[in-house]
Amino acid sequence: GENVEQHPSTLSVQEGDSAVIKCTYSDSASNYFPWYKQELGKRPQLIIDIRSNVGEKKDQRIAVTLNKTAKHFSLHITETQPEDSAVYFCAASLAGTALIFGKGTTLSVSS
Amino acid sequence: SQTIHQWPATLVQPVGSPLSLECTVEGTSNPNLYWYRQAAGRGLQLLFYSVGIGQISSEVPQNLSASRPQDRQFILSSKKLLLSDSGFYLCAWSVGGRGELFFGEGSRLTVL
């Protein structure tokens, strides 16, 4: 089955800096790659996703890139703000099957 | 609009006691339903998923079980809890093959 590796496990940046989180997946058939943000004590919420027919997707300060050949995808957050502090999870799945998540990255943005 | 309800929000149970967590989805038909567990340092671990009534796939062999008695109802159970069952349990739903998951608010279980 699918296996998703995520790193780093923790990331500390200064406000205004960029943050990058990377994930690799094992099943070359996977075609859906979302990123979730989880604030302390709350449920994870989707922030951006990408499908295998696209190499990059942007939404304001957030972007995701996908390299299907290398089986890895990354989350990029620019101009970080204190409210970006949270745990971020990447995931992968084949359409119609369950999402398999990475172990999460705790992002801390200090002002 | 679609909503997902999960309860109870928190519970403290002794080792060896039973467990029942319930989840219901409103505003959609025939959703895919999931149970995930979040333990410290282990991310979101898939426990069970269901594509229809009575259809349950188990991803992790353990003392937990799941049932789907109705189209939009998903139940997580245990006959005898272990200390290692402590964690944050999240129910989620998706629309068929579209992929995006919508999570419930979670149930925090502490086994003492």
Side-chain angles (χ1 to χ4, degrees), chain B residues 32-98:
Chain B
N32 287 0
L33 297 172
Y34 310 83
W35 280 109
Y36 285 85
R37 179 171 62 196
Q38 187 173 21
R42 297 191 61 184
L44 290 163
Q45 181 186 29
L46 177 65
L47 300 177
F48 302 95
Y49 71 96
S50 171
V51 298
I53 296 175
Q55 300 177 61
I56 310 292
S57 296
S58 174
E59 295 295 309
V60 183
Q62 54 197 339
N63 66 319
L64 299 174
S65 62
S67 62
R68 185 171 178 173
Q70 300 181 42
D71 181 45
R72 292 170 290 174
Q73 183 184 25
F74 207 23
I75 298 171
L76 182 70
S77 304
S78 174
K79 293 182 179 179
K80 289 185 178 181
L81 285 169
L82 307 173
L83 286 173
S84 58
D85 291 325
S86 293
F88 190 48
Y89 289 81
L90 288 156
C91 181
W93 71 275
S94 69
V95 176
R98 290 196 58 186

Coordinates of all heavy atoms in Angstrom, one line a residue, chain B residues 32-98:
Chain B
N32 N -18.1 8.3 1.3 CA -17.1 7.4 1.8 C -16.9 7.9 3.2 O -16.8 9.1 3.5 CB -15.8 7.5 1.0 CG -15.9 6.8 -0.4 OD1 -17.0 6.3 -0.7 ND2 -14.9 6.9 -1.1
L33 N -16.7 7.0 4.2 CA -16.5 7.4 5.6 C -15.2 6.7 6.1 O -14.9 5.6 5.7 CB -17.7 6.9 6.4 CG -19.1 7.5 6.1 CD1 -20.2 6.9 6.9 CD2 -19.0 9.0 6.4
Y34 N -14.6 7.5 7.0 CA -13.3 7.1 7.5 C -13.2 7.3 9.0 O -13.8 8.2 9.6 CB -12.2 7.9 6.8 CG -12.3 8.0 5.3 CD1 -13.1 8.9 4.7 CD2 -11.5 7.1 4.5 CE1 -13.2 8.9 3.3 CE2 -11.6 7.2 3.1 CZ -12.4 8.1 2.5 OH -12.5 8.1 1.2
W35 N -12.4 6.5 9.7 CA -11.9 6.7 11.0 C -10.4 6.8 11.0 O -9.7 5.9 10.5 CB -12.3 5.6 12.0 CG -13.7 5.7 12.5 CD1 -14.8 4.9 12.1 CD2 -14.2 6.7 13.4 NE1 -15.9 5.3 12.8 CE2 -15.6 6.4 13.6 CE3 -13.7 7.8 14.1 CZ2 -16.4 7.1 14.4 CZ3 -14.5 8.5 14.9 CH2 -15.9 8.2 15.1
Y36 N -9.8 7.9 11.5 CA -8.4 8.1 11.7 C -8.1 8.3 13.2 O -8.9 8.7 13.9 CB -7.9 9.3 10.9 CG -7.8 9.2 9.4 CD1 -8.9 9.4 8.6 CD2 -6.6 8.9 8.8 CE1 -8.9 9.3 7.2 CE2 -6.5 8.8 7.4 CZ -7.7 9.0 6.6 OH -7.6 8.9 5.3
R37 N -6.9 7.9 13.5 CA -6.4 8.2 14.9 C -5.2 9.0 14.8 O -4.3 8.7 14.0 CB -6.2 6.9 15.7 CG -5.6 7.1 17.1 CD -5.6 5.8 17.9 NE -4.7 4.8 17.3 CZ -4.7 3.5 17.6 NH1 -5.6 3.1 18.5 NH2 -3.9 2.7 17.1
Q38 N -5.1 9.9 15.7 CA -3.9 10.8 15.8 C -3.3 10.6 17.2 O -3.9 11.0 18.2 CB -4.3 12.3 15.6 CG -3.1 13.2 15.5 CD -3.5 14.6 15.1 OE1 -4.7 15.0 15.2 NE2 -2.6 15.4 14.6
A39 N -2.1 10.0 17.2 CA -1.4 9.9 18.5 C -0.1 10.7 18.4 O 0.3 11.0 17.2 CB -1.0 8.4 18.7
A40 N 0.4 11.1 19.5 CA 1.5 12.0 19.5 C 2.7 11.5 18.7 O 3.1 10.4 18.8 CB 2.0 12.3 20.9
G41 N 3.1 12.3 17.7 CA 4.3 11.9 16.9 C 4.0 10.9 15.8 O 4.9 10.4 15.2
R42 N 2.7 10.5 15.6 CA 2.4 9.5 14.7 C 1.5 9.9 13.6 O 1.1 9.1 12.8 CB 1.8 8.2 15.4 CG 2.8 7.6 16.3 CD 2.3 6.2 16.8 NE 2.1 5.3 15.7 CZ 1.6 4.1 15.9 NH1 1.2 3.7 17.0 NH2 1.5 3.3 14.8
G43 N 1.2 11.2 13.5 CA 0.4 11.7 12.4 C -1.0 11.2 12.4 O -1.5 10.8 13.5
L44 N -1.6 11.1 11.3 CA -3.0 10.7 11.1 C -3.0 9.2 10.6 O -2.6 9.0 9.4 CB -3.7 11.6 10.1 CG -4.0 13.0 10.7 CD1 -4.4 14.0 9.6 CD2 -5.1 13.0 11.7
Q45 N -3.3 8.3 11.4 CA -3.3 6.9 11.0 C -4.6 6.4 10.6 O -5.6 6.5 11.4 CB -2.8 6.1 12.2 CG -2.6 4.6 12.0 CD -2.3 3.8 13.2 OE1 -2.6 4.2 14.3 NE2 -1.6 2.7 13.1
L46 N -4.8 5.9 9.4 CA -6.0 5.4 8.9 C -6.4 4.1 9.6 O -5.6 3.2 9.7 CB -6.0 5.1 7.4 CG -7.2 4.5 6.8 CD1 -8.4 5.5 6.9 CD2 -6.9 4.1 5.3
L47 N -7.6 4.0 10.2 CA -8.0 2.8 10.9 C -9.0 2.0 10.1 O -8.8 0.8 9.9 CB -8.7 3.2 12.3 CG -7.8 4.0 13.3 CD1 -8.7 4.3 14.5 CD2 -6.6 3.2 13.7
F48 N -10.1 2.7 9.6 CA -11.1 2.0 8.9 C -11.6 3.0 7.8 O -11.6 4.2 8.0 CB -12.3 1.6 9.8 CG -11.9 0.7 10.9 CD1 -11.7 1.2 12.1 CD2 -11.9 -0.7 10.7 CE1 -11.3 0.4 13.2 CE2 -11.5 -1.5 11.7 CZ -11.3 -1.0 13.0
Y49 N -12.1 2.4 6.7 CA -12.9 3.2 5.8 C -14.0 2.4 5.2 O -13.9 1.1 5.1 CB -12.0 3.9 4.7 CG -11.4 3.0 3.7 CD1 -12.0 2.8 2.4 CD2 -10.2 2.3 3.9 CE1 -11.5 2.0 1.4 CE2 -9.6 1.5 2.9 CZ -10.3 1.4 1.7 OH -9.7 0.6 0.7
S50 N -15.0 3.1 4.7 CA -16.2 2.4 4.2 C -16.8 3.1 3.0 O -16.9 4.3 3.0 CB -17.3 2.4 5.3 OG -18.5 1.9 4.8
V51 N -17.0 2.3 1.9 CA -17.6 2.9 0.7 C -19.1 2.7 0.6 O -19.7 3.2 -0.4 CB -16.9 2.4 -0.5 CG1 -15.4 2.8 -0.5 CG2 -17.1 0.9 -0.7
G52 N -19.7 2.0 1.6 CA -21.1 1.8 1.6 C -21.6 1.0 2.8 O -20.7 0.5 3.6
I53 N -22.9 0.9 3.0 CA -23.4 0.3 4.2 C -22.9 -1.2 4.2 O -22.9 -1.9 3.3 CB -25.0 0.2 4.1 CG1 -25.5 1.7 4.2 CG2 -25.5 -0.6 5.2 CD1 -27.0 1.7 4.0
G54 N -22.4 -1.5 5.4 CA -21.9 -2.9 5.6 C -20.6 -3.2 5.0 O -20.0 -4.3 5.2
Q55 N -20.0 -2.2 4.3 CA -18.7 -2.4 3.7 C -17.6 -1.7 4.5 O -17.5 -0.5 4.4 CB -18.7 -1.9 2.2 CG -19.7 -2.6 1.4 CD -19.7 -2.0 0.0 OE1 -18.7 -2.0 -0.7 NE2 -20.9 -1.4 -0.4
I56 N -16.8 -2.4 5.2 CA -15.7 -1.9 6.0 C -14.4 -2.5 5.7 O -14.3 -3.7 5.6 CB -16.0 -2.2 7.5 CG1 -17.4 -1.8 7.9 CG2 -15.0 -1.5 8.4 CD1 -17.7 -0.4 7.9
S57 N -13.4 -1.6 5.5 CA -12.0 -2.0 5.2 C -11.2 -1.6 6.4 O -11.2 -0.5 6.8 CB -11.5 -1.4 4.0 OG -12.2 -1.8 2.8
S58 N -10.5 -2.6 6.9 CA -9.6 -2.3 8.1 C -8.2 -2.2 7.7 O -7.7 -3.0 6.9 CB -9.8 -3.5 9.1 OG -8.9 -3.3 10.2
E59 N -7.5 -1.2 8.1 CA -6.2 -0.9 7.8 C -5.2 -1.3 8.9 O -4.0 -1.6 8.6 CB -5.9 0.6 7.5 CG -6.7 1.0 6.2 CD -6.2 0.4 5.0 OE1 -5.0 0.4 4.7 OE2 -7.1 -0.2 4.2
V60 N -5.6 -1.4 10.1 CA -4.7 -1.7 11.2 C -5.3 -2.8 12.1 O -6.4 -2.6 12.7 CB -4.5 -0.5 12.0 CG1 -3.5 -0.8 13.1 CG2 -4.0 0.7 11.2
P61 N -4.7 -4.0 12.1 CA -5.3 -5.1 13.0 C -5.1 -4.7 14.5 O -4.0 -4.4 14.9 CB -4.5 -6.3 12.6 CG -3.2 -5.7 12.1 CD -3.6 -4.4 11.4
Q62 N -6.2 -4.7 15.2 CA -6.1 -4.3 16.6 C -7.4 -4.6 17.3 O -8.3 -5.2 16.7 CB -5.8 -2.8 16.7 CG -6.7 -1.9 15.9 CD -6.1 -0.5 15.8 OE1 -5.2 -0.1 16.5 NE2 -6.6 0.2 14.8
N63 N -7.6 -4.1 18.4 CA -8.9 -4.4 19.2 C -10.0 -3.5 18.9 O -11.0 -3.4 19.7 CB -8.6 -4.5 20.7 CG -8.2 -3.1 21.2 OD1 -7.5 -2.4 20.6 ND2 -8.7 -2.8 22.4
L64 N -9.9 -2.7 17.8 CA -11.0 -1.8 17.4 C -11.8 -2.4 16.3 O -11.2 -3.2 15.5 CB -10.4 -0.4 17.0 CG -9.6 0.3 18.1 CD1 -9.0 1.6 17.4 CD2 -10.5 0.7 19.3
S65 N -13.0 -2.0 16.2 CA -13.9 -2.4 15.1 C -14.7 -1.2 14.6 O -14.9 -0.3 15.4 CB -14.7 -3.6 15.4 OG -15.6 -3.2 16.5
A66 N -15.2 -1.3 13.4 CA -16.1 -0.3 12.9 C -17.3 -0.9 12.3 O -17.3 -2.0 11.8 CB -15.3 0.6 11.9
S67 N -18.4 -0.1 12.3 CA -19.6 -0.5 11.7 C -20.3 0.6 11.0 O -20.1 1.8 11.4 CB -20.6 -1.2 12.7 OG -21.0 -0.2 13.7
R68 N -21.1 0.3 10.0 CA -21.8 1.4 9.2 C -23.3 0.9 9.1 O -23.7 0.3 8.1 CB -21.2 1.6 7.9 CG -21.9 2.8 7.1 CD -21.0 3.1 5.9 NE -21.7 4.2 5.1 CZ -21.1 4.8 4.0 NH1 -19.9 4.4 3.7 NH2 -21.8 5.7 3.4
P69 N -24.1 1.1 10.1 CA -25.4 0.6 10.1 C -26.4 1.3 9.2 O -27.4 0.8 8.7 CB -25.9 0.7 11.6 CG -25.0 1.8 12.1 CD -23.7 1.7 11.4
Q70 N -26.1 2.6 8.9 CA -26.8 3.4 8.0 C -25.9 4.1 7.0 O -24.7 4.3 7.3 CB -27.7 4.4 8.8 CG -28.7 3.8 9.7 CD -29.5 4.8 10.5 OE1 -30.0 5.8 9.8 NE2 -29.7 4.6 11.7
D71 N -26.5 4.7 6.0 CA -25.7 5.3 4.9 C -24.7 6.4 5.4 O -23.6 6.5 5.0 CB -26.6 5.9 3.8 CG -25.8 6.5 2.7 OD1 -24.8 5.9 2.2 OD2 -26.2 7.6 2.3
R72 N -25.2 7.2 6.4 CA -24.4 8.3 6.8 C -24.0 8.2 8.3 O -23.8 9.2 9.0 CB -25.3 9.6 6.6 CG -25.4 9.9 5.1 CD -26.4 11.0 4.9 NE -27.8 10.6 5.2 CZ -28.8 11.4 5.2 NH1 -28.7 12.7 4.9 NH2 -30.0 11.0 5.4
Q73 N -23.9 7.0 8.8 CA -23.5 6.8 10.2 C -22.4 5.8 10.2 O -22.4 4.7 9.6 CB -24.7 6.2 11.0 CG -24.5 6.0 12.4 CD -25.7 5.3 13.1 OE1 -26.4 4.6 12.5 NE2 -25.8 5.5 14.4
F74 N -21.4 6.2 11.0 CA -20.2 5.3 11.2 C -19.8 5.3 12.6 O -19.7 6.3 13.3 CB -19.0 6.0 10.3 CG -18.0 5.0 9.8 CD1 -18.2 3.7 9.7 CD2 -16.7 5.5 9.5 CE1 -17.3 2.8 9.2 CE2 -15.7 4.7 9.0 CZ -16.0 3.3 8.8
I75 N -19.6 4.0 13.1 CA -19.4 3.8 14.5 C -18.0 3.1 14.8 O -17.7 2.1 14.1 CB -20.5 3.0 15.2 CG1 -21.8 3.8 15.0 CG2 -20.2 2.7 16.6 CD1 -23.1 3.0 15.4
L76 N -17.3 3.6 15.7 CA -16.0 3.0 16.1 C -16.2 2.3 17.5 O -16.7 3.0 18.4 CB -14.9 4.0 16.1 CG -13.5 3.5 16.5 CD1 -13.0 2.6 15.3 CD2 -12.5 4.6 16.7
S77 N -15.8 1.1 17.6 CA -16.1 0.4 18.9 C -14.9 -0.4 19.3 O -14.0 -0.7 18.5 CB -17.2 -0.6 18.7 OG -18.4 0.0 18.2
S78 N -14.9 -0.7 20.6 CA -13.9 -1.7 21.2 C -14.6 -2.4 22.3 O -15.4 -1.8 23.1 CB -12.7 -0.9 21.7 OG -11.9 -1.9 22.4
K79 N -14.3 -3.6 22.5 CA -14.9 -4.4 23.6 C -14.1 -4.2 24.9 O -14.6 -4.1 26.0 CB -15.0 -5.9 23.3 CG -16.0 -6.2 22.2 CD -16.0 -7.7 21.9 CE -17.0 -8.0 20.8 NZ -17.1 -9.5 20.5
K80 N -12.8 -4.0 24.7 CA -11.9 -3.9 25.8 C -10.7 -2.9 25.5 O -9.8 -3.3 24.7 CB -11.3 -5.2 26.3 CG -12.3 -6.1 27.0 CD -11.6 -7.4 27.5 CE -12.5 -8.3 28.2 NZ -11.8 -9.5 28.8
L81 N -10.7 -1.7 26.0 CA -9.7 -0.7 25.7 C -8.4 -1.1 26.3 O -8.3 -1.6 27.4 CB -10.2 0.6 26.2 CG -11.3 1.3 25.4 CD1 -11.8 2.5 26.1 CD2 -10.7 1.7 24.0
L82 N -7.3 -0.7 25.5 CA -5.9 -0.8 26.0 C -5.4 0.6 26.2 O -5.9 1.6 25.7 CB -5.1 -1.5 24.9 CG -5.6 -2.9 24.4 CD1 -4.7 -3.3 23.3 CD2 -5.5 -3.9 25.6
L83 N -4.3 0.7 27.0 CA -3.7 2.0 27.2 C -3.3 2.6 25.9 O -3.4 3.8 25.7 CB -2.5 1.9 28.1 CG -2.7 1.6 29.6 CD1 -1.4 1.3 30.3 CD2 -3.4 2.8 30.2
S84 N -2.8 1.8 25.0 CA -2.4 2.3 23.7 C -3.5 2.8 22.8 O -3.2 3.3 21.7 CB -1.6 1.2 22.9 OG -2.4 0.0 22.8
D85 N -4.7 2.6 23.2 CA -5.8 3.2 22.4 C -6.1 4.7 22.6 O -6.9 5.3 21.9 CB -7.1 2.4 22.7 CG -7.1 1.0 22.3 OD1 -6.5 0.7 21.2 OD2 -7.6 0.1 22.9
S86 N -5.4 5.2 23.6 CA -5.5 6.7 23.8 C -5.1 7.5 22.6 O -4.2 7.1 21.9 CB -4.6 7.1 25.0 OG -5.1 6.5 26.2
G87 N -5.8 8.5 22.3 CA -5.5 9.4 21.2 C -6.7 10.2 20.8 O -7.7 10.3 21.5
F88 N -6.5 10.9 19.7 CA -7.5 11.8 19.1 C -8.1 11.1 17.9 O -7.4 10.8 16.9 CB -6.8 13.1 18.8 CG -7.8 14.2 18.4 CD1 -8.9 14.5 19.2 CD2 -7.5 15.0 17.3 CE1 -9.7 15.6 18.9 CE2 -8.4 16.1 17.0 CZ -9.5 16.4 17.8
Y89 N -9.4 10.8 18.0 CA -10.0 10.0 16.9 C -10.8 11.0 16.0 O -11.6 11.7 16.5 CB -10.9 8.9 17.5 CG -10.1 7.8 18.1 CD1 -9.6 7.9 19.4 CD2 -9.9 6.6 17.4 CE1 -8.9 6.9 20.0 CE2 -9.2 5.6 17.9 CZ -8.6 5.7 19.2 OH -7.9 4.7 19.8
L90 N -10.6 10.8 14.7 CA -11.2 11.7 13.8 C -12.0 10.9 12.8 O -11.5 10.0 12.1 CB -10.2 12.6 13.0 CG -9.5 13.7 13.9 CD1 -8.1 14.0 13.3 CD2 -10.4 14.9 13.9
C91 N -13.3 11.3 12.7 CA -14.2 10.8 11.6 C -14.1 11.7 10.4 O -13.9 12.9 10.6 CB -15.6 10.7 12.1 SG -16.8 10.0 10.9
A92 N -14.2 11.2 9.2 CA -14.1 12.0 8.0 C -15.0 11.4 6.9 O -15.3 10.2 6.9 CB -12.7 12.2 7.6
W93 N -15.4 12.3 6.0 CA -16.1 11.8 4.8 C -15.6 12.4 3.6 O -14.9 13.5 3.6 CB -17.6 12.1 5.0 CG -18.0 13.6 4.9 CD1 -17.9 14.5 5.9 CD2 -18.4 14.2 3.7 NE1 -18.3 15.7 5.4 CE2 -18.7 15.6 4.1 CE3 -18.7 13.8 2.4 CZ2 -19.1 16.5 3.2 CZ3 -19.1 14.8 1.5 CH2 -19.4 16.1 1.9
S94 N -15.9 11.7 2.5 CA -15.5 12.3 1.2 C -16.6 11.9 0.2 O -17.4 10.9 0.4 CB -14.1 11.8 0.7 OG -14.2 10.4 0.4
V95 N -16.6 12.6 -1.0 CA -17.5 12.2 -2.0 C -16.8 11.3 -3.0 O -16.0 11.7 -3.7 CB -18.0 13.5 -2.8 CG1 -18.9 13.1 -3.9 CG2 -18.7 14.4 -1.8
G96 N -17.2 10.0 -3.0 CA -16.7 9.0 -3.9 C -15.2 9.2 -4.2 O -14.4 9.2 -3.3
G97 N -14.9 9.3 -5.5 CA -13.5 9.4 -5.9 C -12.9 10.7 -5.9 O -11.8 10.9 -6.4
R98 N -13.5 11.8 -5.4 CA -13.0 13.1 -5.5 C -11.8 13.4 -4.6 O -11.0 14.3 -4.9 CB -14.1 14.1 -5.2 CG -15.1 14.2 -6.3 CD -16.0 15.4 -6.2 NE -15.1 16.6 -6.3 CZ -15.6 17.8 -6.1 NH1 -16.9 18.0 -5.8 NH2 -14.8 18.9 -6.2

